[in-house]
C-alpha cells in the first residue's frame, strides 16, 4: 500500500475526534509533507549541485587547460629598446645616466647595465625599475678625462631567456669618451711683431692637428697685436680636412664662416671665441686637421687687424696667408719665418 498525505489525512478523519491514533496520523501526515518536501528539495538541490559540479568540472577543465598554457615554457627572449646612447663629453664628474625599456611575456629575473673603462673588464650595475612599467635606469660613475667608456644592457627572464642591447654585446656595445679640452698652440705665446692680411677677402689661418681622435673644434684663440683701424671687421672661419693634406684648399669658399663679422679688441693678450654647438661642427674629426683663422670682411684703409707673429721660436710651417689680390696661398714659415699666434681649441680623448 502506498501512503500519501491524502490517504493518511482521510483515514485520520474516520477516527474519533480525540483518538490518539488520529493525532498521530495527522502528525505523520505533517512530517511526511515536510520530510518529502525536504527530500524533494534535497533531490532537486542534488540535481542542481550535479549541474554545478558538472559546470565546475568543466570550468576546472578550462582552468587546467589555461594553467597548462601558463606553465608552458617561454622561449622568447626579453625585448630591449630605447637605450640611452651617451655622447662624448668633457664632464669628468658624472654620473652618466643610462635608461632603457625592457619587456617580456614572463617575469624578468635580471636587468643589468654592464660598463667597462678603456677596454678592461665589465662591471655590472643593477638597473632600477622606474615608475613606468618596463623602464629601467642606472648610473655610470664619473671618469677622468681621456677615458673611453663602453656599455651595454643585459636582460634575462624567469625561463632563462636572455638578450642584450646592442645585440652584438659585449663585443659590440655603446661607447663614449670623456674628453679633455686642449688649446693647440704652435707659438710660444710671446709674439715679437704683428702681421696683417690686408684687403677684403684675404685670410690668415693655422693648421691644427689634434693629439687624439675623435676631436671636436669648440673655439678659436687669437692674440691681437694692436688695435685695428676703425671700421675693420673679421669673420672667424674653419676648414675641416679629414685627409690631413697639409695645405689649405685652393677654393676658399670651403672655409665655414663660424659667426658674423666683428671688430677684434683687447690687444696684448689672447682672446677666445666660443663656437661650441655649431651644427657644421657637431660631427667629430676622426683623422686629419682643423684649419682655423679669420677672413677680412671689411678693410676701409687696406690695413687689416694685426695678429701676433712669433719669430723667435722653432717654425712649424703651419701658418698660412691667402692674398685676395693674387688669389694665392703662402706659407708664412717659408716667406716670413714665423708662426701666427692663432690657436684651435679642441676636445679630444
Amino acid at each position: 500500500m502506498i501512503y500519501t498525505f491524502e490517504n493518511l489525512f482521510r483515514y485520520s478523519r474516520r477516527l474519533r475526534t480525540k483518538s490518539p491514533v488520529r493525532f498521530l496520523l495527522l502528525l505523520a501526515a505533517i512530517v511526511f509533507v515536510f520530510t518529502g518536501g525536504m527530500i524533494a528539495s534535497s533531490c532537486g538541490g542534488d540535481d542542481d549541485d550535479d549541474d554545478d559540479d558538472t559546470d565546475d568540472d568543466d570550468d576546472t577543465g578550462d582552468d587546467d587547460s589555461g594553467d597548462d598554457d601558463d606553465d608552458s615554457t617561454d622561449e622568447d627572449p626579453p625585448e630591449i629598446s630605447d637605450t640611452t646612447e651617451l655622447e662624448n663629453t668633457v664632464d669628468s664628474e658624472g654620473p652618466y645616466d643610462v635608461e632603457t625599456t625592457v619587456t617580456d611575456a614572463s617575469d624578468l629575473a635580471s636587468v643589468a647595465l654592464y660598463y667597462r673603462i678603456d677596454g678592461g673588464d665589465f662591471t655590472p650595475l643593477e638597473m632600477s625599475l622606474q615608475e613606468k612599467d618596463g623602464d629601467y635606469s642606472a648610473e655610470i660613475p664619473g671618469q677622468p678625462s681621456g677615458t673611453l667608456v663602453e656599455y651595454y644592457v643585459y636582460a634575462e627572464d624567469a625561463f632563462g631567456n636572455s638578450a642584450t642591447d646592442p645585440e652584438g654585446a659585449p663585443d659590440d656595445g655603446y661607447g663614449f669618451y670623456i674628453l679633455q679640452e686642449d688649446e693647440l698652440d704652435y707659438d710660444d705665446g710671446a709674439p715679437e711683431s704683428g702681421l696683417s692680411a690686408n684687403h677684403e677677402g684675404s685670410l690668415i689661418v693655422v693648421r691644427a692637428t689634434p693629439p687624439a681622435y675623435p676631436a671636436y673644434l669648440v673655439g678659436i684663440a687669437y692674440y691681437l697685436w694692436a688695435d685695428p683701424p676703425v671700421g675693420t671687421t673679421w669673420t672667424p672661419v674653419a676648414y675641416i680636412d679629414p685627409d690631413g693634406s697639409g695645405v689649405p684648399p685652393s677654393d676658399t669658399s670651403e672655409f665655414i664662416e663660424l659667426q658674423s663679422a666683428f671688430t677684434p679688441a683687447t690687444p696684448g693678450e689672447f682672446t677666445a671665441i666660443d663656437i661650441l654647438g655649431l651644427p657644421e661642427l657637431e660631427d667629430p674629426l676622426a683623422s686629419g686637421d682643423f684649419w682655423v683663422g679669420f677672413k677680412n670682411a671689411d678693410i676701409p684703409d687696406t690695413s687689416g687687424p694685426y695678429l701676433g707673429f712669433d719669430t723667435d721660436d722653432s717654425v712649424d710651417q703651419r701658418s698660412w696667408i691667402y692674398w685676395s689680390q693674387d688669389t694665392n696661398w703662402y706659407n708664412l714659415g717659408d716667406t716670413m719665418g714665423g708662426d701666427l699666434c692663432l690657436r684651435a681649441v679642441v676636445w679630444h680623448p
Side-chain angles (χ1 to χ4, degrees), residues 23-208:
F23 173 78
L24 291 174
L25 289 173
L26 285 172
L27 180 61
I30 293 171
V31 171
F32 182 89
V33 170
F34 280 98
T35 303
M38 291 176 64
I39 293 173
S41 176
S42 175
C43 291
D46 288 344
D47 290 343
D48 291 340
D49 289 344
D50 289 341
D51 292 342
D52 291 341
D53 291 343
T54 301
D55 292 341
D56 290 344
D57 290 342
D58 290 342
D59 291 343
T60 303
D62 291 341
D63 290 343
D64 290 343
S65 175
D67 291 343
D68 290 342
D69 291 340
D70 292 341
D71 293 339
S72 63
T73 301
D74 176 9
E75 298 181 353
D76 295 326
E79 294 185 2
I80 309 174
S81 60
D82 301 327
T83 300
T84 304
E85 296 186 42
L86 294 171
E87 297 182 351
N88 298 331
T89 178
V90 291
D91 176 15
S92 60
E93 295 184 4
Y96 316 112
D97 297 331
V98 177
E99 298 181 351
T100 192
T101 300
V102 184
T103 57
D104 193 84
S106 55
D107 292 336
L108 289 168
S110 173
V111 178
L113 174 69
Y114 284 78
Y115 78 94
R116 68 179 179 182
I117 305 303
D118 293 331
D121 295 333
F122 279 98
T123 299
L125 296 173
E126 181 180 356
M127 302 195 77
S128 302
L129 180 63
Q130 303 303 294
E131 294 182 359
K132 180 181 177 182
D133 288 346
D135 286 356
Y136 292 81
S137 69
E139 295 180 343
I140 299 174
Q143 302 296 327
S145 297
T147 300
L148 170 62
V149 182
E150 297 173 284
Y151 65 95
Y152 68 94
V153 174
Y154 173 86
E156 182 176 328
D157 65 20
F159 291 93
N161 304 307
S162 63
T164 62
D165 185 29
E167 292 183 359
D171 294 333
D172 180 20
Y174 298 113
F176 66 100
Y177 282 98
I178 312 300
L179 305 175
Q180 56 185 326
E181 185 170 299
D182 198 0
E183 196 171 275
L184 306 182
D185 61 86
Y186 304 99
D187 61 86
D188 64 5
E192 286 71 43
S193 61
L195 187 143
S196 173
N198 296 343
H199 302 289
E200 295 180 14
S202 295
L203 288 87
I204 42 178
V205 297
V206 164
R207 178 172 63 90

